[in-house]
Amino acid sequence: MTKSSTFRFKQTPAYLVAASLLMGMVSGCSSPSATAPESEPAKQTAENKPQTPVELTMAPYFLNMTDEEFDQIMIKPLKEKYPHITLKIVRDDITKLVAAGQTPDIVYSANSRFSVLQDLDIPSDLSSFVKSSKMDLAKFSSPNIDWIKELGPKGEIYGIPFALNQMALFYNKDLFDKRGVPYPKDGITWEEYVDLVKKMTYNDGGVQFRGSLPPNPEFIARVRSMSLVDAATNKALINNDAFKSVLERVHEFYQIPGMVVDGKMPPNQDSFVKDQQTAMYLNWIPDTLGFIQKAGTQLNFDLVGAPAFKDKPGVTIDPGAQMMVISKTSKNKEAAFDAIQLFTTPEVQKILNRSSRLTVLADESIRKDFLADLPLTKDKNIQGALKIKPAKMAPPNPYHVIVAGKVNAVVTNLATGAKDINTILRETQEDADKAIEQELAKKK
């Protein structure tokens, strides 16, 4: 998963009402005791004894949330439910924090970076807390909870789901209208998508317009639920027919006339959100809305579900498993789990879902209001984009990120034709295997 670039959500009246309702719904952690007779001083019991103040530290890792999001989605609900617990957000690099002996109590991490946390010996097994609190793991949507369960071969639970991402195909309605081409529709296939890209890639008065930006190889591999590393041999799974088909899919974009001009690679997301010279943009919903909002331009856009392959209709890239991990060194594990458990309640997830990112709960009554409090999404096809289902996540592997970086770097050679696909496959396999060997050597 790539590093998310989140947007600052606007606090509309509806959002503030939702936050206010939550504050009224969650109760304090202790019960009031009966009043003692006037002639006798009140006895302190476990119920009325003041709780010792606890400060929890949380570090986002390869994920971003604004200070405003943390405040409304985590800090305020936590303080209301558990007045003795304070949450402090630490934005320093996790490796530096561990080296300095300042490992945070909680790490809010992207699943793609879990292997780094493992190498740092951070994740604590939370299965006993899950059992004692009677947390129902079935309430979380698949495939993210399935992937998290796979992290513990003996039933260990090393993280609790918190939020999801969702891929969608955004499109510029004005560019389609100008070209006289019908808009993409929900249920679009990969072949139909490529055909639209060809129709919307043209030069007009010296200005090069493109139908879409080419996908990277890892994206297609994830749609196909392909592992990039053989767990048994610690070798990359690149130089084979399956991955050759992935590169061929990416290559067809670069073969479209006008996609690569004078040897120059296609531009970045600004060509869609700011310059408005790219007709479609396949990307994560929260990230793209953030780009659009930040650009400050008037973009007449809408979105549909991400394109799917004919042999996997209605299936797109997995949403990632954005998760909460409690560190082994935390002296406040119980308080940390209490906080995480609160963050996964329907009350908090509703605030998260309506204003920021997709709920991790498999509750359609919550999902149906995804981003409902954002003015930018008014009258947009958000629910249509959510109809497409996520692919099964490939089994977790500590070297996936390394190999993914290698395969995504081949697009320059694909675009320019400097090397044929067979050569790219062979050289990337060798390069990836060497990188894995170097990582293994560090652990000896």
Side-chain angles (χ1 to χ4, degrees):
M1 184 177 292
T2 57
K3 187 174 182 178
S4 299
S5 176
T6 54
F7 54 95
R8 298 183 66 86
F9 54 86
K10 297 180 180 179
Q11 293 183 338
T12 62
Y15 175 79
L16 292 177
V17 168
S20 177
L21 285 174
L22 172 70
M23 298 310 120
M25 292 172 72
V26 291
S27 60
C29 61
S30 58
S31 303
S33 58
T35 303
E38 290 184 8
S39 59
E40 181 180 327
K43 296 180 179 178
Q44 272 205 340
T45 65
E47 286 77 17
N48 68 9
K49 183 178 181 180
Q51 292 277 357
T52 302
V54 174
E55 180 182 79
L56 296 175
T57 53
M58 175 188 287
Y61 184 52
F62 230 71
L63 290 170
N64 269 335
M65 287 181 73
T66 65
D67 291 341
E68 195 173 6
E69 285 178 293
F70 274 121
D71 187 55
Q72 296 296 333
I73 297 169
M74 297 185 194
I75 295 175
K76 286 183 177 178
L78 183 62
K79 180 58 67 175
E80 180 68 19
K81 175 70 174 179
Y82 299 106
H84 66 291
I85 301 178
T86 301
L87 183 65
K88 179 182 178 181
I89 307 303
V90 182
R91 297 186 182 274
D92 295 331
D93 179 78
I94 189 68
T95 304
K96 294 180 180 178
L97 288 172
V98 172
Q102 299 173 354
T103 305
D105 297 290
I106 304 172
V107 182
Y108 171 35
S109 176
N111 69 298
S112 62
R113 300 293 153 170
F114 182 80
S115 59
V116 178
L117 303 185
Q118 278 186 311
D119 287 342
L120 294 171
D121 197 28
I122 291 177
S124 177
D125 178 15
L126 305 178
S127 57
S128 62
F129 286 109
V130 170
K131 184 177 180 179
S132 63
S133 68
K134 298 181 180 180
M135 176 183 279
D136 182 12
L137 297 182
K139 71 178 182 179
F140 298 113
S141 60
S142 294
N144 61 308
I145 185 59
D146 306 319
W147 188 90
I148 288 176
K149 287 180 178 178
E150 287 184 38
L151 295 174
K154 297 180 180 179
E156 303 95 333
I157 300 295
Y158 291 113
I160 302 298
F162 172 69
L164 295 177
N165 229 330
Q166 180 77 15
M167 186 71 64
L169 182 62
F170 289 76
Y171 62 94
N172 185 320
K173 298 172 74 172
D174 291 341
L175 290 183
F176 275 88
D177 291 342
K178 180 180 178 180
R179 193 70 170 165
V181 176
Y183 303 148
K185 297 179 180 179
D186 286 321
I188 184 173
T189 66
W190 195 264
E191 291 74 17
E192 291 168 338
Y193 171 49
V194 174
D195 187 55
L196 278 180
V197 175
K198 292 177 180 177
K199 291 178 179 178
M200 296 300 296
T201 301
Y202 60 95
N203 191 291
D204 184 5
V207 178
Q208 183 61 53
F209 292 87
R210 292 175 173 84
S212 187
L213 304 180
N216 63 47
E218 185 199 10
F219 170 84
I220 296 179
R222 284 174 63 176
V223 174
R224 294 291 194 185
S225 302
M226 292 171 58
S227 298
L228 297 184
V229 184
D230 186 332
T233 63
N234 285 324
K235 299 291 185 182
L237 295 171
I238 305 302
N239 193 13
N240 53 54
D241 289 341
F243 204 81
K244 182 177 181 179
S245 69
V246 169
L247 293 191
E248 288 172 343
R249 286 289 187 180
V250 177
H251 189 221
E252 65 183 329
F253 281 85
Y254 289 106
Q255 289 182 308
I256 298 173
M259 188 62 70
V260 178
V261 180
D262 297 329
K264 294 182 179 179
M265 297 288 284
N268 59 20
Q269 73 271 357
D270 279 349
S271 63
F272 176 77
V273 301
K274 186 176 180 181
D275 302 327
Q276 299 190 33
Q277 294 173 359
T278 295
M280 295 178 287
Y281 186 45
L282 183 60
N283 196 36
W284 305 110
I285 293 176
D287 291 5
T288 306
L289 292 175
F291 294 146
I292 293 171
Q293 195 169 47
K294 186 177 180 180
T297 55
Q298 294 299 315
L299 179 63
N300 185 16
F301 77 95
D302 209 338
L303 65 161
V304 296
F309 292 105
K310 285 184 177 180
D311 63 339
K312 284 193 171 184
V315 175
T316 188
I317 188 172
D318 66 79
Q322 298 180 20
M323 58 202 292
M324 298 284 186
V325 173
I326 296 178
S327 66
K328 288 182 178 179
T329 58
S330 173
K331 296 180 181 179
N332 301 299
K333 290 186 179 70
E334 185 173 350
F337 189 82
D338 286 341
I340 292 173
Q341 189 171 27
L342 174 65
F343 300 154
T344 65
T345 60
E347 293 80 15
V348 173
Q349 287 285 309
K350 285 177 183 178
I351 297 177
L352 169 85
N353 186 77
R354 290 183 65 91
S355 61
S356 180
R357 54 200 72 205
L358 187 62
T359 178
V360 79
L361 301 178
D363 186 339
E364 289 300 326
S365 69
I366 298 177
R367 287 170 60 92
K368 70 180 179 61
D369 292 326
F370 182 43
L371 301 179
D373 288 342
L374 281 182
L376 191 63
T377 63
K378 184 179 181 181
D379 299 324
K380 304 301 182 186
N381 184 38
I382 297 292
Q383 288 305 306
L386 291 184
K387 288 180 181 179
I388 191 162
K389 302 302 180 183
K392 183 183 186 303
M393 297 170 70
N397 188 280
Y399 308 109
H400 172 92
V401 173
I402 293 174
V403 179
K406 300 294 182 183
V407 301
N408 288 338
V410 308
V411 295
T412 300
N413 285 326
L414 276 178
T416 61
K419 297 179 181 179
D420 64 85
I421 289 181
N422 288 330
T423 300
I424 291 173
L425 288 169
R426 186 183 69 255
E427 292 181 351
T428 305
Q429 175 77 41
E430 294 172 354
D431 195 19
D433 286 345
K434 186 179 296 184
I436 293 174
E437 288 174 4
Q438 291 172 348
E439 288 300 310
L440 286 169
K442 293 178 183 178
K443 298 179 180 180
K444 292 182 179 178

